[in-house]
C-alpha cells in the first residue's frame, strides 16, 4: 500500500526481515501516522477471502514457523492492526470478526505457568514476553480480559537485570525494554499484585533508560554497555542463584557492533542514536514514569495511539477489558458490529452534542474520538471554546477541518452555562446531549439510549429524556465507582428537590423540552444541570431508564478543591427554588414540591454530602470552609450550640434528617479537620 521512494530491495538484509515483512510493517506505520494526523484514510486493503473467515485465519496463523515467536508475532500484530484500521476508518465492522477469531486462537496458546504466549517451539522467556506484548493491544481494544495477569507480572520482573533493563548481556534493548514496561504498566492499572516491586522496577528502568540518551544529538542508543565476558562469569551466576549477587558485581565494557532493524539504511553503531531506538525509548520512559501518563494533571502529558498498535495505551480500555468476560457479548467494544437501528420515530433524528471547553486540550481529543466511534452516526458536535488560554481552540479547529460533523464557536470566558446556551442557539438536532470536554461515552451510548426510548410507550406531551449509567473516572484512569441509571422515581420533582441524581453526560433529551423548561441558568456558577433537570420534572418530562448506555465522567482534583462555598451557594439557591413556582418554565408549574422545613433538611443533607467529599480528600481547608458556611448560612435552630463547635458536630437534625454517625465525627477529629474549642 505504501512505498518509500528511497527503497531498494538490495538494501534489505537476508533472513527474517524480508520484503513481505517490511512491506507489512511500513503499511501499518503509515496507516497509524495518517490516523494520528486526522488525515483522510488511505484506500482499504484488498483482503483474500479466506483470510476473513475464522477458520481461514486460524490456518494462516498456524502456518507461521513460530521458531522465533518474537518475529512471527510482529507479523500477526501488523495483520490485526490493519484489520482494525480498515474496520473503523472504512466502516467495515465485519473485519473485526477475524480479529476476535485470532484472539480466540491466541487464548488457546497462553501459558498458565508464565502467563506468556506459548507456541509449538520452546523459546526463551524474553522471546515469549515480546510475543505476548504484540497481542495485548487487541485484547484491550476489543475489551477482552488478559488472563494470568499475575504470572505476566512475575515473568517481566524475572527478566529485569541488575542494571534495570530487560536484556541479557547488553545493557538495554530497544524493543525488549519497551515491551516489558508496557506489560507492567497495563498490569499496574488493574491489580495490586506485587505493586511495590512493580513500582520499584519501573523507577529503576527509568533511570537506566535516561542513561542511554546521547547528549550531543538528544537521541537514544540501542545499548551502551554489555557485560564483559571474564572468567568469573560462572561465579557470578552461582552467587546470583545463592542470593548474593552483590558479592561479585558484573563487569561491563563498551558495546560494539551494529544495530540493524532489517534495512541497511537504518543500521547504526549500537551505541549511537537512531530514530527507531529514540522513538521506543521515549515511549518506554513515559510508561516508566507513571504519573506522567496516568495523571491528567501532569504538564505535558502525552496522547497515546487511538487505534491498536505500538504506543496504544488506553487506561479506560485496559480497565474495561478486565471487567468483561468472554461469555459477555462484545457489544461495547471500540467498534462493535452495528445492530440494525429500530425503524420507529424515536430512533430517528439528529443528535446535537454540546461540548463546552475551557483549557481542555488534555481531554478534548478523547471526547471527540468517543463521538467518532459511535454506532449511531447521525450527530453533530458543537465545541464552544470558552476563553481558553491553552491550545483548546486550535485543537478544536483541527478536528473541524478533518470531521465535517464538528463545528467550533469561540467566546470570552463566560462560564459553563453560557457556553452551553451558545451552542444550543445554533444546534440543529432533534436531540440534545451535553458532553463536557473531559468526559466520554461508550460507542453504543446513543444507539442504546434511543432504542430504550423507542421501547417505552410515550407518556408525556412535553418530551422524553433518557438517563444512562456512568463510570466515575479519576483523571489518571482509575474507576472509583460505577452507577446504574437512575430510576424514574429518582427524577421526580420531589426527589430532585432534595438531591442531584447524576452527572449531565448521562442524559439525552428531546430539544422541544427546552421550549417549556427554559435553558441553562447563566446566573448559577455551579449545578446548572441539577437546576435544569428540576425544571424538566416540573413541566412533566418523561424520564426513561437506559440500562445499556454507559458514559465516563472524569473527576479532576481541580474541580473538587476550594470551591465548596460557591457550590453550596448554588445548591442552596436550587433547593429554595424547589419550594415555589418557577417563572422560567413555559408551562404552568406543578404545585410547590417542598415546604421550607423540607428545603432546610435537604440543604443540611447537601452540606453533609460535601463534608464527606472534603474529608475523603483530606482537605482541611475545605472542611473549615464548609463549617464556616454552615455557621453563617444554615438556620440557627439546626445547631445545638450555634456559637461553638464541639468535637462531635452536633446537629438537631430536624425534619427527619439522618443523624451523623460517630465515625464521621471521629474522622474529623483524627484528621485535624477543625479545632476543638
Amino acid at each position: 500500500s505504501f512505498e518509500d521512494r528511497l527503497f531498494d530491495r538490495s538494501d534489505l538484509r537476508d533472513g527474517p526481515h524480508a520484503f513481505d515483512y517490511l512491506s507489512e510493517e511500513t503499511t501499518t506505520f503509515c496507516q497509524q501516522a495518517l490516523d494520528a494526523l486526522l488525515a483522510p484514510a488511505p484506500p482499504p486493503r484488498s483482503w483474500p477471502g479466506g483470510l476473513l473467515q475464522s477458520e481461514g485465519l486460524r490456518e494462516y496463523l498456524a502456518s507461521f514457523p513460530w521458531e522465533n515467536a518474537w518475529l512471527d508475532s510482529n507479523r500477526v500484530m501488523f495483520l490485526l492492526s490493519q484489520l482494525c484500521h480498515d474496520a473503523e476508518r472504512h466502516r467495515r465492522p465485519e473485519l473485526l470478526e477475524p480479529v476476535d477469531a485470532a484472539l480466540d486462537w491466541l487464548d488457546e496458546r497462553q501459558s498458565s505457568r508464565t502467563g506468556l504466549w506459548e507456541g509449538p517451539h520452546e523459546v526463551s522467556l524474553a522471546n515469549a514476553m515480546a510475543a505476548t506484548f504484540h497481542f495485548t493491544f487487541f485484547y484491550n481494544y476489543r475489551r477482552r480480559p488478559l488472563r494470568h495477569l499475575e504470572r505476566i507480572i512475575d515473568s517481566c520482573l524475572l527478566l529485569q537485570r541488575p542494571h534495570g533493563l530487560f536484556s541479557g548481556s547488553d545493557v538495554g534493548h530497544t524493543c525488549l525494554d519497551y515491551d516489558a514496561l508496557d506489560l507492567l504498566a497495563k498490569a499496574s492499572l488493574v491489580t495490586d499484585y506485587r505493586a511495590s516491586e512493580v513500582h520499584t522496577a519501573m523507577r529503576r528502568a527509568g533511570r537506566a533508560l535516561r542513561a542511554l540518551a546521547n547528549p550531543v544529538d538528544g537521541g537514544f542508543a540501542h545499548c551502551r554497555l554489555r557485560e564483559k565476558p571474564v572468567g568469573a562469569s560462572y561465579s557470578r551466576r552461582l552467587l546470583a542463584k545463592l542470593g548474593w549477587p552483590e558479592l561479585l558485581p558484573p563487569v561491563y565494557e563498551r558495546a560494539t557492533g551494529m544495530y540493524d532493524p532489517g534495512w541497511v539504511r537504518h543500521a547504526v553503531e549500537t551505541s549511537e542514536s537512531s530514530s527507531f531506538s529514540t522513538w521506543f525509548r521515549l515511549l518506554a520512559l513515559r510508561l516508566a514514569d507513571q504519573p506522567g501518563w496516568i495523571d491528567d494533571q501532569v504538564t505535558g502529558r502525552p496522547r497515546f495511539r487511538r487505534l491498536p498498535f505500538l504506543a496504544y495505551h488506553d487506561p479506560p480500555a485496559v480497565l474495561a477489558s478486565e471487567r468483561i468476560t468472554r461469555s459477555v457479548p462484545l457489544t461495547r467494544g471500540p467498534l462493535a458490529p452495528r445492530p440494525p437501528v429500530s425503524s420507529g420515530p424515536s430512533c430517528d433524528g439528529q443528535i446535537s452534542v454540546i461540548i463546552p471547553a475551557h483549557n481542555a486540550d488534555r481531554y478534548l481529543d478523547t471526547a471527540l474520538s468517543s463521538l467518532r466511534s459511535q454506532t449511531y452516526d447521525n450527530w453533530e458536535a458543537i465545541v464552544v471554546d470558552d476563553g481558553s488560554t491553552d491550545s483548546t481552540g486550535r485543537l478544536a479547529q483541527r478536528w473541524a477541518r478533518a470531521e465535517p460533523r464538528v463545528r467550533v464557536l469561540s467566546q470570552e470566558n463566560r462560564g459553563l452555562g453560557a457556553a452551553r446556551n451558545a451552542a444550543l442557539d445554533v444546534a440543529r438536532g432533534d436531540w440534545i446531549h451535553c458532553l463536557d470536554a473531559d468526559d466520554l461515552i461508550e460507542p453504543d451510548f446513543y444507539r442504546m439510549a434511543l432504542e430504550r426510548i423507542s421501547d417505552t410507550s410515550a407518556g408525556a406531551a412535553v418530551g422524553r429524556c433518557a438517563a444512562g449509567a456512568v463510570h466515575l473516572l479519576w483523571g489518571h484512569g482509575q474507576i472509583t465507582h460505577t452507577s446504574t441509571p437512575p430510576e424514574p422515581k429518582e427524577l421526580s420533582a420531589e426527589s430532585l428537590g432534595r438531591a442531584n441524581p447524576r452527572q449531565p453526560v448521562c442524559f439525552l433529551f428531546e430539544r422541544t423540552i427546552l421550549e417549556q423548561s427554559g435553558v441553562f441558568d447563566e446566573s448559577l456558577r455551579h449545578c446548572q444541570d441539577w437546576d435544569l433537570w428540576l425544571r424538566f420534572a416540573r413541566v412533566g418530562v418523561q424520564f426513561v431508564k437506559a440500562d445499556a448506555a454507559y458514559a465516563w465522567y472524569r473527576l479532576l482534583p481541580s474541580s473538587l478543591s476550594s470551591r465548596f462555598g460557591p457550590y453550596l451557594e448554588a445548591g442552596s439557591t436550587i433547593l429554595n427554588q424547589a419550594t415555589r413556582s418557577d417563572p422560567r418554565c413555559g408551562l404552568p408549574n406543578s404545585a410547590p414540591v417542598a415546604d421550607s422545613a423540607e428545603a432546610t433538611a435537604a440543604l443540611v443533607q447537601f452540606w453533609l454530602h460535601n463534608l464527606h467529599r472534603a474529608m475523603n480528600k483530606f482537605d482541611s481547608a475545605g472542611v473549615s470552609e464548609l463549617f464556616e458556611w454552615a455557621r453563617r448560612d444554615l438556620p440557627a435552630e439546626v445547631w445545638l450550640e450555634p456559637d461553638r463547635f464541639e468535637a462531635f458536630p452536633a446537629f438537631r437534625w430536624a425534619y427527619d434528617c439522618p443523624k451523623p454517625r460517630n465515625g464521621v465525627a471521629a474522622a474529623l477529629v483524627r484528621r485535624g479537620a477543625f479545632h476543638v474549642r
Side-chain angles (χ1 to χ4, degrees):
S1 299
F2 298 90
E3 183 175 322
D4 191 313
R5 292 182 181 274
L6 298 180
F7 176 72
D8 188 321
R9 283 184 184 240
S10 63
D11 291 335
L12 282 179
R13 300 285 190 195
D14 293 334
H17 291 281
F19 174 74
D20 289 342
Y21 181 98
L22 186 67
S23 176
E24 295 297 318
E25 182 181 48
T26 304
T27 297
T28 309
F29 269 105
C30 289
Q31 284 178 336
Q32 299 290 317
L34 290 171
D35 180 72
L37 294 169
L38 298 180
R45 284 201 56 173
S46 296
W47 298 95
L51 200 60
L52 301 185
Q53 305 299 320
S54 296
E55 195 56 40
L57 182 71
R58 293 171 69 93
E59 291 178 3
Y60 176 71
L61 298 178
S63 70
F64 291 175
W66 292 112
E67 293 177 355
N68 185 341
W70 185 343
L71 176 72
D72 289 330
S73 63
N74 265 305
R75 299 169 64 187
V76 177
M77 177 177 65
F78 300 150
L79 170 68
L80 299 186
S81 181
Q82 291 177 45
L83 285 167
C84 291
H85 174 276
D86 283 4
E88 183 162 328
R89 296 304 305 273
H90 296 289
R91 299 188 177 280
R92 295 186 59 192
E94 69 275 8
L95 294 181
L96 293 177
E97 295 178 13
V99 174
D100 289 333
L103 297 183
D104 290 337
W105 186 82
L106 293 170
D107 274 343
E108 299 167 7
R109 288 156 179 80
Q110 186 182 10
S111 168
S112 59
R113 179 178 57 86
T114 65
L116 304 179
W117 196 81
E118 193 171 56
H121 302 284
E122 185 175 351
V123 298
S124 68
L125 193 66
N127 196 296
M129 183 273 295
T132 304
F133 158 76
H134 292 148
F135 305 141
T136 56
F137 318 121
F138 308 101
Y139 281 91
N140 299 150
Y141 184 74
R142 297 300 294 147
R143 303 299 197 265
R144 289 179 55 155
L146 198 60
R147 302 178 305 164
H148 312 306
L149 203 56
E150 291 79 8
R151 301 291 79 77
I152 292 176
I153 293 174
D154 290 338
S155 296
C156 290
L157 292 178
L158 188 62
L159 283 169
Q160 190 171 35
R161 309 289 292 179
H163 48 64
L165 297 177
F166 298 86
S167 57
S169 60
D170 293 342
V171 181
H173 188 289
T174 295
C175 297
L176 272 179
D177 298 328
Y178 170 54
D179 297 357
L181 284 168
D182 187 275
L183 288 174
L184 288 174
K186 288 186 176 80
S188 68
L189 283 175
V190 296
T191 178
D192 290 332
Y193 177 72
R194 300 183 69 177
S196 61
E197 294 169 83
V198 170
H199 180 66
T200 301
M202 295 180 83
R203 285 196 305 170
R204 288 174 55 209
R207 289 195 296 268
L209 286 169
R210 289 182 178 88
L212 294 173
N214 284 314
V216 176
D217 56 20
F220 284 79
H222 175 68
C223 67
R224 283 282 189 82
L225 301 173
R226 60 168 46 112
E227 192 171 340
K228 188 175 182 179
V230 295
S233 59
Y234 173 78
S235 303
R236 282 201 301 276
R237 290 197 298 271
L238 178 61
L239 288 172
K241 287 184 178 180
L242 295 174
W244 304 319
E246 65 280 358
L247 294 182
L248 193 60
V251 179
Y252 295 103
E253 63 181 358
R254 182 179 179 275
T256 58
M258 301 294 289
Y259 172 57
D260 180 4
W263 191 11
V264 172
R265 290 182 181 271
H266 287 172
V268 296
E269 288 283 344
T270 192
S271 59
E272 292 180 1
S273 302
S274 70
S275 58
F276 210 70
S277 294
T278 299
W279 187 66
F280 272 97
R281 297 304 190 195
L282 290 173
L283 288 174
L285 272 170
R286 284 297 194 181
L287 296 178
D289 179 23
Q290 277 198 330
W293 60 271
I294 63 176
D295 187 351
D296 286 358
Q297 301 306 305
V298 172
T299 303
R301 180 178 176 270
R303 293 190 184 95
F304 289 92
R305 291 290 311 112
R306 189 183 69 84
L307 291 173
F309 190 52
L310 302 173
Y312 174 85
H313 201 94
D314 181 10
V318 176
L319 294 166
S321 301
E322 295 305 316
R323 294 197 316 277
I324 296 177
T325 64
R326 191 66 190 95
S327 61
V328 178
L330 297 174
T331 56
R332 286 193 266 141
L335 188 68
R338 183 182 303 185
V341 178
S342 303
S343 58
S346 297
C347 284
D348 294 334
Q350 187 181 50
I351 298 172
S352 290
V353 187
I354 309 303
I355 307 178
H358 175 70
N359 291 343
D361 59 357
R362 295 179 183 176
Y363 316 110
L364 187 58
D365 259 339
T366 303
L368 290 171
S369 293
S370 75
L371 278 180
R372 189 166 62 175
S373 66
Q374 286 299 299
T375 57
Y376 184 91
D377 57 10
N378 188 10
W379 54 264
E380 64 165 357
I382 305 165
V383 181
V384 183
D385 178 14
D386 188 37
S388 298
T389 57
D390 60 3
S391 60
T392 296
R394 294 192 298 275
L395 181 60
Q397 292 291 350
R398 191 178 75 181
W399 267 90
R401 289 192 296 270
E403 172 56 72
R405 292 174 292 182
V406 175
R407 289 186 284 158
V408 181
L409 304 178
S410 298
Q411 65 179 31
E412 295 181 357
N413 182 226
R414 295 169 52 205
L416 190 60
R420 286 173 175 164
N421 287 341
L424 289 172
D425 287 340
V426 300
R428 300 183 291 240
D430 306 294
W431 300 86
I432 302 295
H433 181 232
C434 295
L435 177 69
D436 288 352
D438 55 357
D439 299 333
L440 60 153
I441 51 177
E442 295 200 357
D444 285 334
F445 183 86
Y446 292 148
R447 182 178 62 80
M448 299 305 297
L450 291 173
E451 286 190 356
R452 187 66 183 89
I453 288 176
S454 70
D455 294 338
T456 305
S457 58
V462 176
R464 294 155 296 178
C465 176
V470 63
H471 301 298
L472 299 183
L473 179 74
W474 270 111
H476 54 248
Q478 290 181 328
I479 297 175
T480 62
H481 182 64
T482 297
S483 298
T484 57
E487 299 290 341
K489 64 181 180 180
E490 296 179 62
L491 299 169
S492 66
E494 181 179 4
S495 295
L496 284 165
R498 292 195 296 265
N500 185 11
R502 291 294 185 274
Q503 294 75 19
V505 70
C506 304
F507 294 88
L508 175 70
F509 58 88
E510 287 185 278
R511 179 178 177 167
T512 54
I513 298 173
L514 299 174
E515 298 172 6
Q516 307 301 333
S517 67
V519 294
F520 291 95
D521 190 334
E522 297 182 20
S523 66
L524 294 171
R525 300 298 293 178
H526 301 278
C527 306
Q528 301 97 333
D529 55 297
W530 182 10
D531 173 65
L532 186 64
W533 311 146
L534 182 57
R535 280 182 275 141
F536 275 18
R538 299 184 74 174
V539 300
V541 169
Q542 180 184 10
F543 288 98
V544 177
K545 180 181 178 182
D547 305 77
Y550 273 82
W552 297 71
Y553 179 81
R554 198 186 303 266
L555 300 168
L556 300 175
S558 59
S559 64
L560 298 177
S561 60
S562 304
R563 295 186 182 180
F564 291 104
Y567 192 69
L568 286 165
E569 292 292 343
S572 175
T573 300
I574 293 167
L575 291 169
N576 287 325
Q577 185 66 51
T579 67
R580 55 184 183 268
S581 180
D582 195 330
R584 297 170 295 177
C585 297
L587 288 176
N589 283 241
S590 59
V593 297
D595 58 28
S596 59
E598 291 173 332
T600 301
L603 185 59
V604 172
Q605 190 65 41
F606 184 56
W607 178 89
L608 184 62
H609 164 75
N610 283 280
L611 182 63
H612 275 279
R613 202 173 67 165
M615 287 166 49
N616 287 336
K617 293 175 60 217
F618 294 87
D619 185 356
S620 298
V623 171
S624 298
E625 182 184 10
L626 284 161
F627 271 97
E628 291 300 327
W629 184 91
R631 194 175 189 181
R632 183 183 67 247
D633 292 335
L634 284 179
E637 65 269 15
V638 173
W639 297 90
L640 284 175
E641 300 180 47
D643 297 325
R644 177 176 161 206
F645 293 129
E646 294 288 354
F648 184 83
F651 291 99
R652 187 168 294 151
W653 293 100
Y655 325 118
D656 298 322
C657 267
K659 293 184 178 180
R661 298 177 180 175
N662 289 340
V664 175
L668 279 168
V669 175
R670 183 169 62 252
R671 298 177 185 180
F674 64 94
H675 296 289
V676 180
R677 292 192 286 178

